[in-house]
Amino acid sequence: MDSSLTRWLFTTNHKDIGILYLVTSLYFLILGGALAILMRIQLMLPNNQFLSAGPFNQAVTVHGLIMVLWFLSPLAFAFANYIVPLQIGARDLAFPRLNAMSYWFYLFGGLLAAVGFFTPGGAIDTGWTVYAPLNTLNYSRQLGVTLGGAGLLMLIASVTMGTVNFLVTIFRLRAKGMSLFKMPMYSWGILLTVFMMLLAFPSILAGVIMLVADRLLGTLYFLSNEGGAILWDHLFWFFGHPEVYILLMPGLMAIAEIFPVFARRPLYGKRILIFAAIIGSAMSFIVWAHHMFVTGIDPGFRKFMTITTEAISIPFGIITLCLILTLFRASIRFKTPMLFALGSLALFIVGGITGVFNSSVALDYNLRGTYWIVAHFHYTLVGGATGGLIAALYYWWPKMTGRMYSERLGKLHFTIYMIGFNLLYFPMHLLVDMPRRVAVYSEEGSLWLNNYLSTIGSFIFAISWIIFFLILLKSLRNGKRAESNPWGSWSLEWMVPSPPPYHNFDVNPEVESDGTIKVINANGGSVESETHNVHLSKGPLMVALGTFLALLGVSLSIFILLIGSIIFAIALFGWAKENILGRFVIREPEVGERWPFSSICNMKLGVWFFLFGEVVFFSSILGGYLFIRANSTSWPILGEVFDLKLASINTFLLITSSLTAMMALNFIRKGEQRGLKLGLLLTFALGLLFLINKGIEWEELFKHGFTPSSSLPATIFYTTTGIHGAHVLAGLIVLLYLLVRAYKGGFSRENYDSVEYFDMYWNFVDVVWLFIFPLLYLI
Amino acid sequence: MKVRIYFKFKGRIIVLSPITAQWDWLFILYATIGSIVGAIVIGFLIYSSIKYKAKGEREPKDAPSLGKIPAERGTMKVAFVLTLIVAGILFTITLGTMQTVDLIEKPPKGSLTIEVHAYQWGWKFIYPNGKQVVGELRVPKNEVITFKVTSDDVFHNFGLIEFKVKGDAIKGKINTIWIKPSQAGVYTIQCFELCGIGHSWMKGKMIVMEPEDFDRWYAE
Amino acid sequence: MRTLGYFAVWIALILATLLQLVIFGGVKASNLRVISIMVLAWLQASLVVFFYQNVLKEPKGVSMLYLASFLTGSGLIIGMILSITHAME
C-alpha cells in the first residue's frame, strides 16, 4: 500500500476519504471537547474568574458549531464514505473527485471558522445559532463573525456536493438484486440523512448569504425590524430542525445495524422501521417553529407546530420500540459495539422524552433558554447520536484498519463513559432556573451544586475519551489482526478482507432472489487490481484551497483574495482538462439495481438533485423577500418607480437564450456540429448581454441613490438579482468549457450529455428569473 | 382547571401566580407520564438485555449469517398497536398543553400594563403614567400585571424565574406576558438569550409591594 | 418537429411576458393585477419545466422529487407568512 503524502492529498478513493473524514472529525472532537471542558471549569463554582465573558462566549459558540457541523455529521460521513459503497456492492462513489472536493471543503471550512481565534476580537461569539441582530456589524464588529459565516459557506458547499454524490451512489450503484429494502440499515440511514440535507441546508445557505451581505455590503436584512430576528429564526431553524435528525439518523441506524448482529436475531420489523424513519424525516420539515414558541409568532401557527412536534415522536417511538423488540428472545453478546448501542439507545430514550416536554408551547414559556434544553439536546445528540456512532466505530474499526481493539479496555471505556455522561448531563435537567450561555452565576439559590456535579462529570467524561483514543492507538500499534468477519455479520462489507482491497470487489456482487449474496473474494478473482495512482487528482484539493484563500481574502485583504482566485481558476482549468483528456471516465456497471432511477445516467441524476436543492435555496431567498414585504406597511413597486425597459429586455434575452440552448442540443442530437457551435455561441452572447444589461441597470439605479443599504426594497433587489446573476455567470463559465470542447470536436451524435446537463441548469436559471422579474418589478 | 399543585415559598405552601400553579401541574403531568413511559421502556431494554444474554455458543435459528439477507420479521399489526399507544399518550398531554397555553396567553382584564425595554445590557420599565425606572421594577401585590416586552437592540429574553414565564424581547415586536403575584417580596429578572458580553449580568429585580405602598411609590 | 415545438414555447413565453407588461401598464394596482401577473409567471415556468427541461420524459422519481423540493420550498414560505401574527397590538 502506498502511504505517501501524495496519496492522502490527492486521493479520490472512497475508503481513503472515509479515513480522512474519520481522522479530521476526531480532531474536531478533541477541539470541541477541549472548549467544553474550559466552559465547565468556568461554571464549576459561582462567580468563577477562570474565563471572562468574551472568551466564554467564543468557547460556547465554537463548541456548538464544531460539534454539530464539523464533528458529528462528518463522523457519520466517515462511515458513509467507507462502508456504504461496500454495503451496496459498489466500487466507489458515483463522483470520486467531487467526493474528495467535498472533504477538502469541509476541512478548509473548519479552519476558516477557527482562524477567527487568532484575529482581533476573537472567534465568532454569537452562540451557534448566530441569532440576529447580534450577528450584524452593528453589534458584533469583530472579523471572527464574518470568518465564521465564510466557514459555514464552505461547509454548506461541502455538504451539497456530498449530498448529491451519495444520493446518486445509493440510487444508481447498487449491486444487482440489492433492492432498496434489502439494503443494510446504515445505508438507509445515510440515504435519509442526505435527503434531509439536500432540502434543509439551502435555507441556512440563504440565511448565511444574507448575513454575509449584511456584514460586507451593508444590506439591511437582519438590522431591519421587518426582517431581523424572526427572519433569521425561520431560515436558521428551517435548516436547524431537520439538522437535528440529520445528526441523529446515522447514529440511530448504526444501532439498528449493530443490534441484530450481536443479538443474533434479525431486526424486528425492518420495513416498519424504515417507513417510520421515512415519515419522521419528512415530518422534520414541519416542526421548525417550536424553536420560536416564545418569539410572539401567530398563536394558531404555534399550536400547529406543537401538534406536529408531538406527532414526530410517534415515528421515532416506533423506531425505538422496534429496536427493543429485536432483543426479545435473542441471544445477546455484550461486545463493546453492542454495549455502546444499548447505552446510547437508553440515553436517546431519555432525551426523546424530555424532547416531548419541549414540544409543549406552555412548558416552553418556562423551559426556554435554560439548562433543561442543554440537558435535552446533549442526551439526544451526545447520548443518542454520538454514542451510536461510537458503537459504529468499534463495530467497523476492524474492517477499516484490519486490527482488533482491546475488548477489556473497550468495556472500561463504556463504563466510565456512562458514569461520566450521566453525571455531566443529568444535573443540567435540574438547572431550570439557570440561563444557557451565561459565563457567571451568583451564589444565591442552589445553582452551584448541580453545576459542580456536572463539572466533575465532565472530567470523568473527558477521561473516558482519553481511554478511547488510547484504545485506538494501541490497536493500531499492536492490535490482533482482524478476520474478514469478526462479529458474525451478514452484509457485504464483511465478505471482503479487512481492510478491503483498493477496488473493493473483483467481480460485481449480486443478490439472488432468495437473499443470498454472491461475491467472489478479492485475491480469488481475475481482474487486475488497480493502483492508487490511476485515481489521483490535484483538482479537489486545489479548488478547495483556492476557495479558502478567496474567502479569507474577502474578509482580510485583496491580495489573498487575488491569490485564491488564481489558484481557483488554475484548478478549475486543470479539472476541465482532466475531463477533456478523458481521465476519470467512470464506468457504470452494466447491471445493477437502480429503482426508481434506472433510465437516467448518474451525472444527469446528480444535476437533477443539485437543482432540487437550488429550488429550496431560491424559495428561501424569495421567502425572505415575501416575509419582509408582508411585515412592511408600504412597499414601492419598482416598475412604477423606475424604468422597466432594461429589466424587460433582460427577460427577453434570457428567454431567448433558453431557446438557443435547446437548439444547440437539438443540433448535436442530429450530429450537426455547426448548429451546436452556433447555438452555444448565441446562448453565451445572450447570457453575457444579460449580465452587461444588468450592470447598466444597477449603475442607473445607483445614480438614483438606490444602493443596497438605502432601503429594504433595495437590499432585496440587489441581493436577489445578484444571486441570480451569479448563477448566470456560473452558467457562462460552464458554457465556455462547452464551447472549447465543441470547437475541439468533443461532441457527437452519441456524446452530447454535457450539453444536456448544461441546458437543464440554464433552463432552471431561466425559470428563477421568470419568477424574480414579476415578483421584484411588477407586483 | 382546578389548581392542584402548589408552589413552596419560604416554607409555606402558596400559589405565587395563577400561571405558576398551572405550569407546575402541566410539568408534573408530563414528568409523571414521561417517567412511567421511560421506566417501562428502559426497564424492558435492561430486562431483555439480562434475560436474553447469550448462553454458550448456541445460536437462534434465524441468526444472521454471512452473505444472506436476514429474514423479515414483525407485522404491520404490531406497528399499528405501537402507533396507537404512542399517539394516545401524546394526545393526553397535548390536551393539557392547549389548556395551559390559553391561560398563559390570555391576560385577564383590568391590569396594570408596563412596557419592558431590554437593551445591552439592562432593563428599562415604563409605567402607564410615564414613570420610568431602570433595573428595579416595582409592582403591587394581588393585581394582574401585563408586560409588553420589546428590545431596543439585539434579541433578549425577559425571564421572570420564580413566575415561570418568559417573553422574547425583539426589536420592532411587542410580546405580552402577565403575572398576578400573591406574595410581596423581591424576585429575579434575568435575560435568557445570549446577547453579547454582558449577557451573564443582565439581571434585574422585581419588587412586589403591598398595594398601598405601591400606590404611594407610584404617585411620587 | 422538436424544433417547431421549441419555437412555439419560445413564442408563448415572449407573449406571456408582453401580456404581463400590458397588464402592468394598463390595470391599476390591485389584487387582480397581482394575481394575473403571477398566474402568467407560473404558466411560463411550467412551460419551461415541461417542454424545455422535459421533466415528464425523466423517470418518475425525478418529477416526484422536483415536486417534493418545490413543496419544501413553498412550505417554508407559507410557514413564514403564516407565522406573522395577525393580532397586532
Side-chain angles (χ1 to χ4, degrees):
Chain A
M1 268 265 190
D2 178 18
S3 59
S4 64
L5 193 61
T6 356
R7 169 181 167 194
W8 293 109
L9 289 179
F10 302 139
T11 181
T12 63
N13 182 269
H14 75 99
K15 293 187 289 302
D16 287 357
I17 293 170
I19 299 222
L20 286 174
Y21 264 107
L22 181 64
V23 172
T24 315
S25 63
L26 291 179
Y27 163 74
F28 278 116
L29 168 70
I30 296 172
L31 192 63
L35 291 170
I37 288 287
L38 292 180
M39 276 146 47
R40 278 319 319 168
I41 294 175
Q42 164 62 20
L43 292 174
M44 192 169 182
L45 299 167
N47 297 321
N48 204 355
Q49 303 276 324
F50 177 71
L51 277 185
S52 61
F56 185 88
N57 286 353
Q58 292 172 36
V60 163
T61 307
V62 177
H63 164 78
L65 284 171
I66 280 187
M67 288 306 206
V68 167
L69 297 169
W70 274 279
F71 157 64
L72 199 40
S73 260
L75 180 60
F77 276 83
F79 306 124
N81 267 287
Y82 203 104
I83 300 298
V84 168
L86 285 165
Q87 281 193 333
I88 62 173
R91 295 266 172 91
D92 203 327
L93 289 179
F95 312 112
R97 275 184 304 175
L98 198 66
N99 192 27
M101 192 153 87
S102 171
Y103 167 75
W104 292 111
F105 266 71
Y106 149 68
L107 174 65
F108 281 119
L111 295 181
L112 205 53
V115 152
F117 277 116
F118 308 103
T119 57
I124 184 167
D125 65 352
T126 53
W128 88 277
T129 51
V130 202
Y131 268 9
L134 183 63
N135 56 11
T136 58
L137 218 47
N138 279 32
Y139 302 109
S140 302
R141 291 214 65 81
Q142 74 276 30
L143 208 54
V145 181
T146 312
L147 287 168
L152 275 174
L153 285 181
M154 281 196 85
L155 183 90
I156 296 165
S158 154
V159 166
T160 311
M161 291 181 249
T163 301
V164 169
N165 211 344
F166 274 98
L167 282 168
V168 175
T169 305
I170 295 178
F171 276 122
R172 295 267 316 161
L173 296 188
R174 275 171 287 143
K176 190 179 172 217
M178 177 70 79
S179 68
L180 282 175
F181 274 114
K182 285 185 180 141
M183 281 198 315
M185 293 313 291
Y186 195 73
S187 292
W188 260 105
I190 293 301
L191 176 61
L192 293 174
T193 304
V194 288
F195 254 122
M196 287 189 278
M197 282 177 151
L198 179 75
L199 300 178
F201 270 79
S203 88
I204 186 73
L205 175 62
V208 174
I209 287 179
M210 290 175 191
L211 175 61
V212 171
D214 273 7
R215 292 184 68 87
L216 294 178
L217 309 174
T219 55
L220 303 169
Y221 278 108
F222 297 121
L223 267 179
S224 62
N225 293 346
E226 292 83 354
I230 305 288
L231 174 63
W232 177 265
D233 261 14
H234 275 301
L235 294 176
F236 184 85
W237 288 117
F238 190 76
F239 143 79
H241 204 83
E243 170 69 9
V244 174
Y245 295 98
I246 289 168
L247 298 170
L248 178 68
M249 195 60 81
L252 205 55
M253 291 305 170
I255 297 174
E257 180 95 39
I258 290 166
F259 264 24
V261 171
F262 292 91
R264 308 308 301 155
R265 295 286 315 265
L267 191 59
Y268 188 89
K270 184 175 177 184
R271 261 164 212 265
I272 301 168
L273 205 158
I274 289 172
F275 277 124
I278 293 173
I279 292 169
S281 308
M283 283 180 75
S284 73
F285 285 89
I286 48 166
V287 297
W288 80 92
H290 66 226
H291 297 271
M292 309 163 63
F293 276 160
V294 195
T295 55
I297 53 174
D298 184 65
F301 185 61
R302 258 181 303 180
K303 280 188 181 166
F304 171 72
M305 287 285 174
T306 295
I307 291 166
T308 53
T309 307
E310 296 199 339
I312 204 174
S313 344
I314 297 175
F316 284 93
I318 290 173
I319 293 177
T320 309
L321 292 175
C322 280
L323 288 173
I324 295 177
L325 284 174
T326 303
L327 304 180
F328 198 65
R329 294 205 178 134
S331 172
I332 304 168
R333 281 153 204 190
F334 290 97
K335 302 279 188 202
T336 311
M338 186 62 178
L339 287 173
F340 269 96
L342 282 166
S344 88
L345 184 63
L347 298 178
F348 170 67
I349 292 168
V350 176
I353 288 172
T354 55
V356 176
F357 286 62
N358 304 342
S359 72
S360 159
V361 180
L363 291 181
D364 221 48
Y365 269 99
N366 190 29
L367 297 177
R368 184 229 184 285
T370 66
Y371 261 84
W372 167 276
I373 306 288
V374 180
H376 157 68
F377 68 71
H378 280 92
Y379 263 85
T380 52
L381 294 184
V382 183
T386 308
L389 290 175
I390 293 306
L393 197 149
Y394 278 114
Y395 179 62
W396 280 310
W397 180 262
K399 181 53 63 188
M400 294 169 77
T401 61
R403 302 271 188 181
M404 299 302 289
Y405 58 87
S406 157
E407 197 59 54
R408 209 164 39 91
L409 288 178
K411 280 175 181 148
L412 179 72
H413 173 206
F414 175 72
T415 315
I416 299 179
Y417 174 96
M418 288 302 276
I419 295 171
F421 178 94
N422 285 301
L423 191 56
L424 167 54
Y425 296 115
F426 194 80
M428 289 184 185
H429 285 119
L430 307 173
L431 290 169
V432 184
D433 290 348
M434 179 156 155
R436 285 169 74 174
R437 295 155 171 170
V438 287
V440 172
Y441 55 93
S442 62
E443 283 161 28
E444 304 148 31
S446 55
L447 298 181
W448 73 271
L449 177 65
N450 287 313
N451 270 301
Y452 190 80
L453 287 175
S454 175
T455 302
I456 299 295
S458 77
F459 295 153
I460 299 175
F461 199 53
I463 290 170
S464 85
W465 288 103
I466 293 171
I467 296 174
F468 167 72
F469 282 108
L470 288 178
I471 293 173
L472 299 190
L473 290 178
K474 187 167 172 290
S475 160
L476 284 179
R477 268 179 72 122
N478 53 14
K480 218 174 66 188
R481 291 266 166 215
E483 313 157 26
S484 63
N485 185 20
W487 310 124
S489 319
W490 60 272
S491 48
L492 255 166
E493 77 266 33
W494 304 104
M495 300 177 77
V496 291
S498 308
Y502 180 75
H503 54 286
N504 295 356
F505 310 104
D506 288 345
V507 174
N508 294 328
E510 273 183 41
V511 182
E512 287 171 355
S513 54
D514 67 344
T516 310
I517 306 172
K518 241 177 44 190
V519 56
I520 298 168
N521 267 0
N523 309 329
S526 55
V527 178
E528 84 281 22
S529 97
E530 300 164 70
T531 58
H532 277 282
N533 300 337
V534 180
H535 288 297
L536 291 183
S537 172
K538 295 190 177 95
L541 172 61
M542 300 313 277
V543 173
L545 181 67
T547 313
F548 168 73
L549 289 175
L551 283 172
L552 195 65
V554 169
S555 328
L556 286 177
S557 83
I558 292 284
F559 180 65
I560 303 178
L561 172 64
L562 208 66
I563 295 178
S565 312
I566 292 170
I567 295 178
F568 184 79
I570 293 174
L572 269 194
F573 186 72
W575 189 298
K577 213 169 133 194
E578 278 181 357
N579 278 355
I580 291 178
L581 289 178
R583 288 187 61 203
F584 284 96
V585 180
I586 296 122
R587 281 171 295 156
E588 294 182 15
E590 291 85 46
V591 285
E593 194 65 36
R594 287 162 188 165
W595 186 88
F597 296 108
S598 30
S599 60
I600 182 171
C601 73
N602 290 354
M603 187 70 191
K604 193 174 186 187
L605 187 60
V607 176
W608 273 123
F609 279 128
F610 171 70
L611 290 183
F612 299 153
E614 289 273 73
V615 171
V616 182
F617 172 67
F618 277 105
S619 302
S620 312
I621 295 280
L622 290 175
Y625 156 49
L626 294 172
F627 177 78
I628 286 177
R629 186 160 171 179
N631 271 323
S632 304
T633 40
S634 69
W635 195 268
I637 297 171
L638 286 191
E640 286 176 350
V641 183
F642 299 112
D643 196 3
L644 251 180
K645 225 180 297 156
L646 294 172
S648 316
I649 292 173
N650 258 353
T651 309
F652 293 125
L653 285 175
L654 214 57
I655 290 177
T656 312
S657 77
S658 262
L659 175 70
T660 55
M662 291 312 292
M663 292 312 293
L665 178 63
N666 220 9
F667 278 121
I668 193 63
R669 274 191 185 131
K670 292 183 219 142
E672 290 174 34
Q673 297 286 347
R674 274 189 53 196
L676 168 75
K677 286 177 206 164
L678 183 71
L680 291 179
L681 266 179
L682 273 175
T683 312
F684 189 83
L686 289 165
L688 199 62
L689 277 176
F690 176 91
L691 286 183
I692 293 170
N693 189 28
K694 172 125 287 169
I696 297 171
E697 185 195 13
W698 279 22
E699 205 200 340
E700 196 76 1
L701 291 173
F702 256 77
K703 274 192 207 141
H704 285 85
F706 192 71
T707 58
S709 48
S710 66
S711 66
L712 271 173
T715 285
I716 282 157
F717 173 80
Y718 286 106
T719 326
T720 313
T721 57
I723 291 169
H724 178 263
H727 277 75
V728 173
L729 185 65
L732 289 183
I733 292 170
V734 176
L735 200 48
L736 211 54
Y737 160 74
L738 293 181
L739 274 167
V740 171
R741 252 182 92 170
Y743 274 92
K744 287 195 164 181
F747 298 110
S748 66
R749 190 201 285 258
E750 288 80 32
N751 173 18
Y752 55 81
D753 295 349
S754 317
V755 182
E756 199 178 354
Y757 311 146
F758 168 76
D759 275 17
M760 282 156 61
Y761 171 81
W762 194 254
N763 284 323
F764 174 78
V765 174
D766 193 9
V767 169
V768 172
W769 180 258
L770 287 173
F771 282 111
I772 288 180
F773 175 65
L775 281 175
L776 282 185
Y777 294 91
L778 300 183
I779 67 168
Chain B
M1 176 144 318
K2 275 260 171 70
V3 170
R4 291 174 223 176
I5 310 298
Y6 299 94
F7 182 78
K8 270 197 183 161
F9 188 78
K10 289 181 185 157
R12 283 173 299 153
I13 290 173
I14 51 104
V15 177
L16 191 54
S17 171
I19 290 176
T20 59
Q22 180 75 19
W23 192 91
D24 283 337
W25 171 79
L26 187 67
F27 185 83
I28 290 187
L29 175 73
Y30 271 68
T32 313
I33 295 178
S35 310
I36 293 172
V37 171
I40 292 175
V41 176
I42 296 179
F44 188 66
L45 180 70
I46 295 172
Y47 167 81
S48 327
S49 306
I50 296 169
K51 171 117 194 264
Y52 301 113
K53 189 174 186 300
K55 294 173 188 82
E57 286 295 306
R58 227 184 43 189
E59 297 231 319
K61 263 189 243 124
D62 53 0
S65 72
L66 189 61
K68 184 93 186 155
I69 308 248
E72 293 274 340
R73 63 186 187 119
T75 58
M76 266 340 221
K77 211 157 77 190
V78 176
F80 192 67
V81 173
L82 294 182
T83 312
L84 275 185
I85 295 172
V86 182
I89 293 169
L90 290 168
F91 181 71
T92 321
I93 54 181
T94 308
L95 277 186
T97 287
M98 293 304 168
Q99 269 173 329
T100 310
V101 167
D102 284 344
L103 178 79
I104 295 180
E105 294 186 350
K106 295 212 176 79
K109 283 209 180 90
S111 60
L112 171 66
T113 304
I114 300 172
E115 280 179 45
V116 179
H117 289 257
Y119 59 91
Q120 277 179 322
W121 289 277
W123 307 96
K124 188 171 79 185
F125 306 98
I126 305 175
Y127 288 83
N129 70 353
K131 196 175 171 74
Q132 287 192 15
V133 290
V134 168
E136 205 174 273
L137 171 69
R138 281 163 197 270
V139 293
K141 197 175 98 174
N142 286 336
E143 205 170 313
V144 175
I145 299 141
T146 309
F147 298 104
K148 301 276 179 197
V149 184
T150 189
S151 164
D152 292 345
D153 40 49
V154 304
F155 198 134
H156 302 275
N157 177 285
F158 178 66
L160 293 169
I161 292 176
E162 290 89 346
F163 289 85
K164 311 204 163 169
V165 278
K166 298 191 172 77
D168 278 347
I170 297 166
K171 199 181 170 196
K173 268 185 91 76
I174 296 165
N175 287 324
T176 310
I177 57 173
W178 69 278
I179 56 169
K180 191 182 175 192
S182 67
Q183 287 295 310
V186 182
Y187 302 92
T188 320
I189 297 168
Q190 194 162 6
C191 178
F192 276 77
E193 183 58 57
L194 180 59
C195 53
I197 299 280
H199 173 52
S200 308
W201 299 274
M202 191 167 158
K203 288 183 180 180
K205 266 190 221 155
M206 182 169 75
I207 303 170
V208 176
M209 309 165 85
E210 296 297 332
E212 47 278 19
D213 292 347
F214 175 79
D215 288 342
R216 208 173 308 124
W217 174 82
Y218 190 54
E220 265 173 30
Chain C
M1 202 53 225
R2 199 140 48 175
T3 316
L4 221 63
Y6 291 153
F7 269 97
V9 170
W10 176 72
I11 289 170
L13 291 173
I14 298 282
L15 283 180
T17 299
L18 284 174
L19 196 56
Q20 280 178 333
L21 291 171
V22 168
I23 293 171
F24 181 72
V27 182
K28 266 205 303 195
S30 61
N31 283 344
L32 182 71
R33 186 172 92 173
V34 171
I35 290 170
S36 41
I37 288 176
M38 287 320 292
V39 165
L40 283 167
W42 277 103
L43 197 74
Q44 286 177 308
S46 350
L47 282 175
V48 175
V49 169
F50 288 117
F51 297 104
Y52 280 179
Q53 288 188 322
N54 267 319
V55 74
L56 291 182
K57 287 201 182 140
E58 302 291 335
K60 222 182 206 147
V62 169
S63 39
M64 295 304 282
L65 288 176
Y66 213 146
L67 188 69
S69 63
F70 167 78
L71 286 178
T72 309
S74 319
L76 170 62
I77 297 178
I78 292 168
M80 284 167 98
I81 302 295
L82 282 183
S83 79
I84 298 171
T85 188
H86 302 294
M88 286 302 284
E89 317 271 338

